[in-house]
Amino acid sequence: MLDSGSNSEVDMEKTIGELVAEKPGRSRVFEQYRIDYCCGGHLTIDQACAKKKVDPAEIKERLTDYDKQRDTQEKDWSRETELSPVIDHILKVYHEPMAADFERLSFLSQKVARVHGDAHPELLEVESVWNQLRAELEPNLMKEERVLFPMMRELVASARDQGNLPAFHCGTVQNPMRQMEHEHEEAGAMLARLRELTGGYVPPLSACNSYRALFEGLQNFESELHKHIHLENYVLHPLARKIEASLSASTASAPVG
């Protein structure tokens, strides 16, 4: 059974990030056309299609078809008004599995580059770029877990208790969020390079099982990281900005003395 919004028209004026926030499964459509909906999510469909030389009407048709068929249990994060459920989801669904992904893909990239690098020198760069990506992401996750997310939870507690804006050591929650978004852009560029080096993660016919496992693992990692970054950039961060702005206004209007 379709929900009441399934037949709604796709709003072409909204950004790609907003469209995916409303219905995360729409990301599948953009992925098929190699359209970046996380770091490039600030673009409209028309703008993104112009860069990729794709007919926007085709994308709109695919999105409309998806909306008609989508799973009604899919979480619509654009309607979320609380920070904590988003943080908890990010930690469980994205942060926790990444530790295993880091170890597995580092092992595979090193092994495949060592065994097949002579015949396929691009694999040496795949290993190098993957190591750079890991070196970028591991500190990013740590800063989120130890600095940014606790700050956000402090905002939630202050708002719940009708308290004042917390005095953060960095001044405002927007400062670490801007840093995280910058790091997200750098990670997105590395993902794009990995896709280019691997020819869209398509292994040669002669590839061994480790070779194939590496490419499949990198492709899955790319897909999950795109969803992860999108949820932070277009749902979590705007929510935190809204709560902080509300607390700031309340603090400014509170009587002195």
Side-chain angles (χ1 to χ4, degrees):
M1 180 177 178
L2 297 174
D3 63 74
S4 59
S6 296
N7 295 315
S8 60
E9 187 79 2
V10 175
D11 188 346
M12 298 290 282
E13 297 303 314
K14 289 187 176 180
T15 66
I16 293 172
E18 291 170 337
L19 290 170
V20 175
E22 289 175 351
K23 300 173 184 178
R26 286 171 169 169
S27 62
R28 300 185 187 99
V29 174
F30 293 117
E31 286 169 357
Q32 289 169 0
Y33 290 87
R34 308 300 178 217
I35 292 175
D36 180 5
Y37 60 85
C38 56
C39 297
H42 60 284
L43 301 177
T44 64
I45 292 176
D46 285 342
Q47 291 168 334
C49 286
K51 291 180 66 175
K52 288 290 184 178
K53 295 181 171 55
V54 176
D55 183 359
E58 182 178 341
I59 300 292
K60 182 178 181 181
E61 181 180 359
R62 295 292 301 277
L63 290 171
T64 301
D65 289 343
Y66 169 76
D67 288 354
K68 291 178 180 177
Q69 301 169 14
R70 77 186 181 97
D71 181 359
T72 57
Q73 299 304 310
E74 184 178 86
K75 174 73 174 181
D76 180 357
W77 287 107
S78 70
R79 298 180 184 274
E80 183 60 63
T81 59
E82 301 291 335
L83 272 176
S84 293
V86 186
I87 294 174
D88 292 341
H89 179 79
I90 288 170
L91 289 171
K92 181 176 181 180
V93 175
Y94 298 116
H95 280 216
E96 291 180 13
M98 284 181 78
D101 288 336
F102 286 144
E103 293 301 323
R104 176 173 177 268
L105 292 175
S106 291
F107 169 78
L108 284 172
S109 64
Q110 182 182 37
K111 177 182 178 181
V112 172
R114 183 182 69 249
V115 175
H116 301 282
D118 288 342
H120 298 278
E122 71 277 3
L123 293 173
L124 301 176
E125 189 174 352
V126 167
E127 181 190 12
S128 176
V129 175
W130 164 256
N131 288 336
Q132 292 173 47
L133 179 60
R134 178 178 181 178
E136 176 77 25
L137 288 175
E138 285 186 314
N140 177 280
L141 300 184
M142 186 180 299
K143 285 182 284 189
E144 288 182 343
E145 293 172 8
R146 297 184 181 180
V147 179
L148 181 58
F149 292 173
M151 288 175 66
M152 290 180 172
R153 293 191 193 277
E154 194 171 345
L155 286 176
V156 170
S158 293
R160 182 186 61 238
D161 299 336
Q162 298 183 335
N164 292 329
L165 180 67
F168 295 129
H169 68 284
C170 58
T172 168
V173 75
Q174 296 202 50
N175 288 328
M177 286 195 301
R178 277 194 289 266
Q179 178 62 31
M180 295 303 102
E181 289 169 8
H182 173 69
E183 292 175 7
H184 291 166
E185 289 181 5
E186 293 183 336
M190 294 178 207
L191 287 176
R193 181 58 180 156
L194 284 172
R195 174 169 285 279
E196 180 183 5
L197 288 167
T198 59
Y201 303 110
V202 178
L205 294 175
S206 60
C208 66
N209 286 339
S210 293
Y211 203 140
R212 295 179 183 277
L214 172 64
F215 277 32
E216 181 182 8
L218 289 173
Q219 184 173 31
N220 182 69
F221 189 89
E222 177 195 71
S223 177
E224 290 303 297
L225 187 58
H226 279 164
K227 296 172 188 174
H228 177 181
I229 290 175
H230 174 271
L231 187 56
E232 291 187 355
N233 285 5
Y234 296 97
V235 176
L236 183 68
H237 293 184
L239 269 176
R241 289 188 181 98
K242 183 177 180 180
I243 293 173
E244 186 176 56
S246 177
L247 282 169
S248 180
S250 298
T251 301
S253 63
V256 178

